[in-house]
Amino acid sequence: MITPEDIERLIRPELTAMKAYTPIEPTDVLSQRIDIPREKVIKLDGNENPYGCSIRVKQAMANYAYYHLYPDPEQRELKKALEKYSGISSKYILAGSGSDELIDLILRLFVEPGDRVIDCSPTFGMYPFSTDVCGGKVVSIPRKQDFSIDVAAIKKTIDKQVKVIFIASPNNPSGNITPEQTILELLNSSMVVVIDEAYFEFSGVTVAPMVLKYPNLVVLRTFSKWAGLAGLRVGYGIFPLNMVKYLMKIKQPYNVNAAAQVAALESLKDISYLSGTIKAIIDERERLFTRLSQLDWLKVYPSQANFVLCSVLNGKAKTIHKGLQKKGIFVRYFDTPQLKNCLRISVGKPEHTDALIASLREIC
Ligand SMILES: Cc1ncc(COP(=O)(O)O)c(C=O)c1O
């Protein structure tokens, strides 16, 4: 009889050795762990939207009558609405089950075992994760001290086996953008340059119109952050036309589910409400930055996203992370060579900032 060990041997060896992605945990799990009611948890660890989605989204989802039918595999209505929102013709647009799915699809399109993919660390963990799943190898080019990308080092690394480079702009977790001039320098190469604009609505900076000019440029966006739809998983990409053709071919036919399509469409119809919550988050980011900067044992990095990165200069980030947890406040803790003793704090509502600052003052 076949044994579990036989099955292990059938698994692709690069996957048995692969490091798993560390996702954030849901609120109910956190609340049970620390024995605090769910509504009291202050969740500042996932760069989610503290205001949630538009109320119109909930109504539209409740009223939708066709959940028993498969959604449009060509995402026609959603693409048309995205054309209006982004100002880019719908023929360049493809939606995914979160931008995570689009990262995966891009890699599946280009990366064969042995190929290489560049990311600029510290950055979003899905780039190495999805590269590993495809059997590719990530080459992480460290960002400079100010978290700007090191173009000279990237250029030295480029060879025929480097297929794709990922640059998050604003970058997660550092919050800084990569200027257009720097991106232009990279476009002058044979690799696919993916600019991940997951936090675009908080920075207002985009290179999306350049996709029409550069056959190797891709821009990714998401509804998870500005529209508060992280739980429904909707993202989209702006791609050169030939890439759209192949991505359409390899994607799961019904990759964006009906509920997610309804929610995304209704969000795009309620921009005036969502613009208000985006503005509230940007204003609160600035207040959070100021309040954190008043703590002389923290170095706070300026951010154009919906989170701020802090380096703990005096004391242990791990102890602070744990201390905050005990008070029901969850932030992200990092301790890697490039992010030593660091915390990333998502922007919440004003009362969340106040509770956080009060707790930080008590803990330290
Ligand atoms: C840079 C970046 N890209 C993509 C994502 C994932 O977006 P989505 O929820 O659309 O998969 C995140 C989420 O944190 C992110 O930080």
Side-chain angles (χ1 to χ4, degrees):
M1 204 179 96
I2 190 157
T3 65
E5 289 71 33
D6 294 328
I7 298 297
E8 277 287 317
R9 276 191 290 276
L10 294 179
I11 291 171
R12 288 164 46 200
E14 67 273 23
L15 295 191
T16 54
M18 176 186 153
K19 223 174 110 200
Y21 183 75
T22 322
I24 48 163
E25 291 189 294
T27 318
D28 53 338
V29 173
L30 300 177
S31 85
Q32 276 165 23
R33 184 176 306 150
I34 53 162
D35 205 17
I36 284 184
R38 190 179 171 155
E39 59 286 358
K40 289 250 162 72
V41 168
I42 300 181
K43 196 168 180 303
L44 306 176
D45 61 350
N47 303 340
E48 292 140 333
N49 190 320
Y51 296 96
C53 63
S54 145
I55 184 98
R56 282 181 49 177
V57 165
K58 293 179 192 167
Q59 284 155 0
M61 288 175 74
N63 293 339
Y64 185 71
Y66 303 104
Y67 291 119
H68 58 298
L69 302 178
Y70 289 104
D72 177 10
E74 298 208 14
Q75 313 159 344
R76 277 163 271 228
E77 214 187 331
L78 182 54
K79 283 185 187 172
K80 269 287 160 213
L82 284 168
E83 170 175 302
K84 195 165 157 239
Y85 178 68
S86 66
I88 310 286
S89 164
S90 62
K91 58 184 186 210
Y92 294 91
I93 296 173
L94 184 77
S97 173
S99 43
D100 283 350
E101 188 200 18
L102 297 167
I103 293 167
D104 178 62
L105 279 174
I106 293 165
L107 291 165
R108 286 213 258 161
L109 187 59
F110 291 105
V111 173
E112 290 180 81
D115 282 343
R116 300 197 299 162
V117 170
I118 296 177
D119 76 3
C120 301
S121 56
T123 193
F124 185 44
M126 285 304 282
Y127 312 139
F129 168 80
S130 293
T131 303
D132 285 351
V133 174
C134 288
K137 229 185 163 28
V138 158
V139 187
S140 279
I141 307 290
R143 286 172 179 257
K144 297 180 187 168
Q145 200 86 40
D146 62 356
F147 294 118
S148 61
I149 66 168
D150 187 343
V151 177
I154 292 170
K155 283 187 173 166
K156 267 194 224 148
T157 308
I158 299 172
D159 62 21
K160 272 212 282 215
Q161 295 230 270
V162 173
K163 296 278 185 74
V164 183
I165 179 169
F166 284 97
I167 299 168
S169 179
N171 184 45
N172 175 7
S174 52
N176 60 315
I177 59 151
T178 295
E180 186 174 315
Q181 195 49 43
T182 310
I183 294 167
L184 278 171
E185 282 188 60
L186 297 173
L187 286 169
N188 209 354
S189 72
S190 56
M191 18 171 225
V192 175
V193 178
V194 181
I195 305 299
D196 183 344
E197 295 183 355
Y199 302 96
F200 155 67
E201 282 76 6
F202 306 107
S203 74
V205 180
T206 183
V207 291
M210 283 164 50
V211 174
L212 278 59
K213 250 176 59 195
Y214 291 90
N216 56 339
L217 174 63
V218 170
V219 170
L220 298 182
R221 302 261 187 89
T222 179
F223 281 76
S224 295
K225 315 296 178 180
W226 69 281
L229 298 185
L232 281 166
R233 317 301 300 125
V234 206
Y236 65 101
I238 300 164
F239 300 92
L241 294 180
N242 58 344
M243 279 191 218
V244 174
K245 186 176 85 188
Y246 287 109
L247 289 166
M248 274 304 289
K249 213 169 166 178
I250 67 167
K251 80 169 181 70
Q252 296 272 344
Y254 313 111
N255 62 328
V256 184
N257 70 63
Q261 293 204 32
V262 169
L265 275 167
E266 200 60 31
S267 301
L268 294 171
K269 288 181 193 155
D270 203 9
I271 296 292
S272 62
Y273 168 79
L274 290 170
S275 307
T277 52
I278 292 166
K279 181 169 182 322
I281 291 168
I282 294 172
D283 290 349
E284 193 54 26
R285 175 185 72 202
E286 298 314 307
R287 197 174 78 95
L288 176 66
F289 179 86
T290 308
R291 298 290 306 275
L292 289 169
S293 302
Q294 286 162 353
L295 304 171
D296 58 8
W297 45 271
L298 271 186
K299 176 177 164 62
V300 193
Y301 295 89
S303 166
Q304 303 215 44
N306 65 344
F307 53 83
V308 289
L309 180 69
C310 309
S311 163
V312 179
L313 304 174
N314 196 353
K316 284 209 157 70
K318 193 174 184 174
T319 313
I320 298 167
H321 179 243
K322 282 246 160 352
L324 287 173
Q325 271 191 13
K326 282 199 194 127
K327 292 172 181 287
I329 302 175
F330 292 84
V331 300
R332 190 87 191 241
Y333 162 64
F334 296 101
D335 198 23
T336 61
Q338 282 178 282
L339 289 174
K340 277 207 182 81
N341 215 25
C342 282
L343 299 171
R344 189 198 66 196
I345 304 171
S346 306
V347 179
K349 293 180 177 176
E351 58 266 34
H352 299 152
T353 303
D354 294 342
L356 171 84
I357 299 291
S359 296
L360 285 173
R361 287 192 187 278
E362 271 175 41
I363 294 166
C364 299

